[in-house]
Amino acid sequence: MTSAAQEHESKAYPPSPEFTATANAGPELQAAADADRLGFWDEQAKRLDWAEPWTEVLDWSNAPFAKWFVGGKLNVAYNCVDRHVEAGNGDRVAIHFEGEPGDSRSLTYNDLLAEVSRAANTFTELGLVAGDRVAIYMPMIPEAIVTMLACARLGLTHSVVFGGFSSSALRSRIDDAQAKLLVTVDGQWRRGQAAPLKNAADEAVADAKSIEHVLVVARTGIDVEWTEGRDLWWHETVEKASPEHEAQPFDSEHPLFILYTSGTTGKPKGIIHSSGGYLTQASYTHHYVFDHKPGKDVYWCTADIGWVTGHSYIVYGPLSNGVTQVVYEGTPNSPNEHRHFEIIEKYGVSIYYTAPTLIRTFMKWGREIPDAHDLSSIRLLGSVGEPINPEAWRWYREVIGADSAPIVDTWWQTETGAIMISPLPGITATKPGSAMAPLPGISAKIVDDEATPLGAGGNGYLVLDQPWPAMLRGIWGDEQRYRETYWSRYAEQGWYFAGDGARYDDDGALWVLGRVDDVMNVSGHRISTSEVESALVSHPSIAEAAVVGAADETTGQGIVAFVILREHVENTGDTLIKELRDHVAVEISPIAKPRQITVVPELPKTRSGKIMRRLLRDVAEGRELGDTSTLVDPAVFDAIRGK
Ligand code: WTA
């Protein structure tokens, strides 16, 4: 490490006395968790309303399959909506919706309760019963959140598929979960244009046997094709249904949702989350990490509900805490780069949670853009999705946070369900770039290959050595893969292997270094190298492909592909490359489009036939080659570099 980096590492930013004085979290939180970890979680679960109490906090006897708050019963939607109305806060705004074309509307908790009840009544009328799966393929509009909550209310397990995914990605997720209902929109607004979405949904469900109905919100008014008997308009069904609905309690372990995430093989994993344990930790972390004050703060998490951050920190955590939040439909530069700052100003956003890739984009656009706005309402900033580089961290604090707002750099994963490692504002003296320490109630270690815990300075693997309430409960339909992916590496110790590298610095602060497996992190989105490779080789021109993540100034990593053409295929240069990039967009999503594709005569392989990704990364990042001695043919690199 350079001395400059070391210097940055050593400068810590303590919380201001004013912030500490009113902070939700005090030192007693850690003390309580240290004294009695399960007793601590028992207390946190009581932040929710339960229809029936639990008899045991944790049952880990069938590890790695956990049961939290055993025997307890609750309704997740009741906790996120009804109880705030019953407490007299029905007139509080839950969602300030800001549409991309400039339309806006605000939903109070009264409104939200009526909407969720209507949707729940409609779903029931369609014959759905607890345990059925519902696929959701929608942009960031209130109906998407209403749909998720209506599912939760009825015990339907939802599977949200990011609206930027292709029809084939949607199709494989619908098939895997055997969803009966798909909820979607006619089209979505993107940079002033209405882009169709229902056509992709139609393609995905054509001859998908499990799907009985497709429910469509008219968001843009564009023309759509219609399949009578299967397709239903939201405004002709949900909006006409009764706004009264009584929620039934479900078991604490009832599966709340499945969310697909990339693994190290081509097939995405359906991560299963529970009800009681998941909501307990989502709610606890949202309250303490964001220092959220209901009725006072205006909170904005810029994620999409297609990712876990949208699930835990737009829907379940915030709403369980009676939040008032901004939900924005569009991109940050539509109609121009001022959009986010205008929204912050308009609603007086006080807590802002986003991804490092966006912060670096803001930096590129220039500080005069945020400087043109009154951002004085902001009192806390959050970061998630990838390591935040110290330079971006300091810019974020200075320019967006008036050099005073604490930053919470939150480490977690789709699998962990909720934040695991993060500063606590008001307590932690933060260091730019470090996620600092596990939260009270959470236990993590950094270890080497032999499971020996590492001290300061050593790079190792991040493991979670104790179960946690929001932990995944498995992979949908694939128990073996669940055991292998997360629990086999440190099977003897019974630790969860997170797939990230990490280290402690001399002050004991924890630094997450990024993935150690073949998963790339592009703008905070997880994409596996093999997923992109299989998309490329599904193109008729391609015989073989190798994909690596190369460092990228804005997006963290960029996707770089090396392909070998099939025999007799003509290399048409840019035309072919464009065709391949478009092909990946169709197979997976535009976010998976390689930044660069190079046609090569050969790929570097070990004698056992394994592609040497490390060496390809060296090429992609323009470095001198590392050790090539294990290659079958070291000369292959001259060919790859076009020498
Ligand atoms: C990375 C997103 C460093 C990490 C919530 C993890 C981070 C993966 C951070 C999970 C952070 C997330 N610092 N790295 N604060 N937050 N990551 O499942 O590699 O989309 O394993 O969940 O993102 O990505 P996922």
Side-chain angles (χ1 to χ4, degrees), residues 455-531:
N459 289 359
Y461 302 112
L462 185 59
V463 296
L464 302 167
D465 59 319
Q466 295 287 343
W468 63 100
M471 70 193 292
L472 74 168
R473 298 303 198 260
I475 293 176
W476 187 260
D478 204 341
E479 191 180 313
Q480 197 46 33
R481 193 172 177 198
Y482 171 62
R483 291 181 190 278
E484 265 163 31
T485 310
Y486 306 107
W487 305 95
S488 64
R489 181 86 169 241
Y490 296 104
E492 212 176 292
Q493 295 77 13
W495 295 341
Y496 169 91
F497 174 58
D500 278 320
R503 70 182 175 84
Y504 290 114
D505 69 15
D506 290 339
D507 302 317
L510 192 153
W511 295 70
V512 177
L513 305 170
R515 305 288 308 185
V516 293
D517 53 15
D518 290 332
V519 177
M520 299 173 287
N521 191 329
V522 182
S523 298
H525 302 319
R526 271 165 73 171
I527 301 167
S528 83
T529 51
S530 61
E531 219 176 327

Side-chain angles (χ1 to χ4, degrees), residues 308-309 384-387 409-414 500 512 515 521 526:
V308 74
T309 308
V384 62
E386 52 174 314
D409 173 4
T410 61
W411 178 88
W412 58 296
Q413 308 176 300
T414 304
D500 278 320
V512 177
R515 305 288 308 185
N521 191 329
R526 271 165 73 171

Side-chain angles (χ1 to χ4, degrees), residues 143-189:
E143 288 84 351
I145 296 171
V146 167
T147 300
M148 292 165 77
L149 290 168
C151 288
R153 194 173 189 87
L154 296 171
L156 306 172
T157 301
H158 60 69
S159 161
V160 182
V161 179
F162 176 53
F165 275 141
S166 65
S167 60
S168 63
L170 173 62
R171 172 60 190 265
S172 66
R173 287 157 173 80
I174 286 175
D175 279 349
D176 189 69
Q178 291 290 291
K180 286 191 174 169
L181 172 70
L182 170 64
V183 187
T184 187
V185 291
D186 55 350
Q188 52 183 342
W189 291 108

Side-chain angles (χ1 to χ4, degrees), residues 38-118:
L38 293 182
F40 173 82
W41 285 117
D42 188 74
E43 280 304 309
Q44 295 311 320
K46 291 179 188 150
R47 302 183 68 253
L48 305 176
D49 278 31
W50 295 75
E52 269 176 49
W54 52 95
T55 51
E56 198 184 349
V57 175
L58 168 68
D59 177 359
W60 191 229
S61 59
N62 185 32
F65 296 91
K67 285 193 179 137
W68 280 86
F69 311 113
V70 184
K73 284 195 163 65
L74 81 172
N75 186 288
V76 169
Y78 173 86
N79 274 280
C80 292
V81 187
D82 307 46
R83 66 170 177 157
H84 307 311
V85 173
E86 287 172 17
N89 295 317
D91 290 332
R92 180 188 297 164
V93 171
I95 295 171
H96 287 296
F97 171 67
E98 187 74 13
E100 203 207 60
D103 56 324
S104 60
R105 64 184 160 120
S106 294
L107 280 89
T108 63
Y109 278 93
N110 282 331
D111 298 335
L112 196 57
L113 178 56
E115 291 296 309
V116 172
S117 299
R118 285 193 178 99

